[in-house]
Amino acid sequence: MVVCGDDALAERLGTELRELYRAQVTIVVPSTRTAGEPAQEGGGRMRAAALLSRVQAAMGRLAPAGDDSLAGQAPRVMEAAVLSEDTLTEAGVARADALALVHDDDETNIRAALAARRLNPRLRLVIRLFDRKLGQHLAQLLDQAAALARPDLIGEGLDTSTTILSDADTAAPALAATAVAGTGKVVQADGLLLRAVERAPRGRGRAPGTPGLCTLAILSSSNNDPSDTEGSDTSGQEEPILLPDDREIAAAVGRGSVVLDTVTPSEPALPPRRLAARTLPLGSLFSRRVRWTLAVLVVCVLGLALATWATTEPNPLRAGYLTMLDLFAIDEPAIGEPAARQIIQLLTGFAGLLLLPVLMAAVLEAMGTFRTASALRRPPRGLSGHIVLLGLGKIGTRVLARLHELGVPVVCVEENPEARGIPLARRLRVPTVIGDVRDEGVLEAAKVSRSRAFLALTSLDTTNLEAALYARSVKPDLQVSLRLYDDAFATAVYRTLRAAHPLALTRSRSVTTLAAPAFAGAMMGRQVLGAIPVERRVLLFAALDVADHPDLAGRTVAASFRAGSWRVLAVDSTAPGERRAGPGAAPEEDESAPEPGPVWQLDPGYVLRPTDRVVLAATRQGLAELLDAQSPQPAGMSRR
């Protein structure tokens, strides 16, 4: 396996491949000795040096022992100034099974992917891209290029796949959920929406609630306490229990749970322009003062029309017509007419004088609103109960879109007016403050003192931590969620903030920890549909062919379940050649066989057949065990 990257995701991915999948790994990182590097890029050089030292330390810890099956094949770390074809050749891409391109720059990854496909048409590619539409086209292009380069291998089962993943898409739902209670966890897979929700703990002596499709996890024992301790892989008895069995579920008194609640067809997202139009109601064209003034004048005119009808004009339509003529000074003076008519005409004329400046103000406001529709909104004066989102980079942009879908009021804070998420904030009419969060008054302008949660999502851990500490100084009980790269640092920050503010809710999440399992699974040839966080752990959803896994083939759904490792959630019994074209027929001799297509309400006694395809939930270790247990492949063939 070859991993090329310039940030912590490369380190975490290399560790994941070595630690769980026992794969031989080569990691290519940016060079720390770039000749002729401009002075202003010193920060990039320092970052590369820090990444190199961390990768070397991580790979050193994972060096194989004497009895390891990979003895003599210690992890390899390379430095490269440019990810060129020569660099890829030196890294062994021509002989590798898989290549992960996880640079933060999309263009760098695309260039390297094209070069790698020329070097090795059978290479499995996993590419980190932020642009989803571009990723779809790139995947089709690279797979077509592989088929054209080696047409002789198509009949033998060409094991070429291009997987496009985004760490932003993987981490955004989890980060948004930390700031909004009850949003649940959502995985989009093959046109379906898998929704997992947290259930409140049940008391002693109470029967478990409705389990949904299945229970995915039991939360740590103190998860619902404001000063809780989030469980992780090293939390001992406090850790959450992933994929529990019936005995563990029954014993989980006083502990919350994560339940797979619904599986529904995913709804297509609205086009950006249409979405923006729906978020700009007509009432936002005029200020509240103008709207109230117009309403009062309309009521007055209606009252004058009724007075005219009651006193001098028996016909209601003619009474309304005369009132409008008087309002706009079109009617003749009521000389010689009854006193009531003259008084009403004077009052109507006075109302007309008041109406003209109000109409002018409304027109100017509407024109001003249209002129500034493409400008960033300022936070409204009376705003409260919102979420302050710091950082509109890749992660922040996805989180903003997610919060907007949930209908949660947001105020964004961003230092760079040209940041990636600024156009989205402008299109969605989200209030945004431009400025350095470390400057006095920036968070105050975002109304952090009246907000309900603070999300720090910049790419700098120190900035996120500093902003969180300042926000807590303004509002000590503020709910705070931080995006941090290093999971160990995230744990330390979480514990420190929790100790300093025991009555406030604190969450810290490592983006690399959330994203790396999906990237590693894709490199091993698994179709990882998505991942959901369970406190500080990760649960994966994957699609597997039963024929490739002896732990599944020939077993019932109930017998294939391994507590703490994997659980079959759905079965697709459609013939492999017809899965994309249409459903196939289930064999008549097996009455327990599920209907064609993915079936989520499974019969525990159904026997998994080699032609079936299953969707399962698995832990990181469980997915690795499934791969290790599959049948050996001929030399030179990838395991897929």
Side-chain angles (χ1 to χ4, degrees), residues 6 29-32 43-53:
D6 60 352
V29 298
S31 175
T32 60
R45 184 170 59 249
M46 293 177 61
R47 178 184 178 189
L51 176 61
L52 175 61
S53 62

Side-chain angles (χ1 to χ4, degrees), residues 580-640:
R580 296 197 178 274
E588 298 179 356
E589 63 272 15
D590 191 352
E591 297 181 355
S592 64
E595 297 179 359
V599 176
W600 296 87
Q601 297 285 0
L602 295 177
D603 179 0
Y606 171 67
V607 179
L608 299 175
R609 298 167 297 177
T611 56
D612 289 340
R613 186 173 179 83
V614 298
V615 175
L616 52 78
T619 62
R620 295 160 51 235
Q621 185 66 45
L623 186 59
E625 291 176 4
L626 277 174
L627 292 179
D628 289 339
Q630 64 186 7
S631 303
Q633 301 293 327
M637 291 292 290
S638 299
R639 301 189 306 173
R640 188 179 180 213

Side-chain angles (χ1 to χ4, degrees), residues 1-4 24-29 76-80 83-99 119 123:
M1 304 293 168
V2 180
V3 178
C4 303
Q24 175 62 23
V25 182
T26 297
I27 300 183
V28 182
V29 298
R76 180 186 177 199
V77 180
M78 280 181 53
E79 293 184 71
L83 202 57
S84 62
E85 189 168 329
D86 293 338
T87 301
L88 295 175
T89 301
E90 184 181 355
V93 167
R95 304 180 305 276
D97 289 330
L99 167 67
L119 291 173
L123 183 69

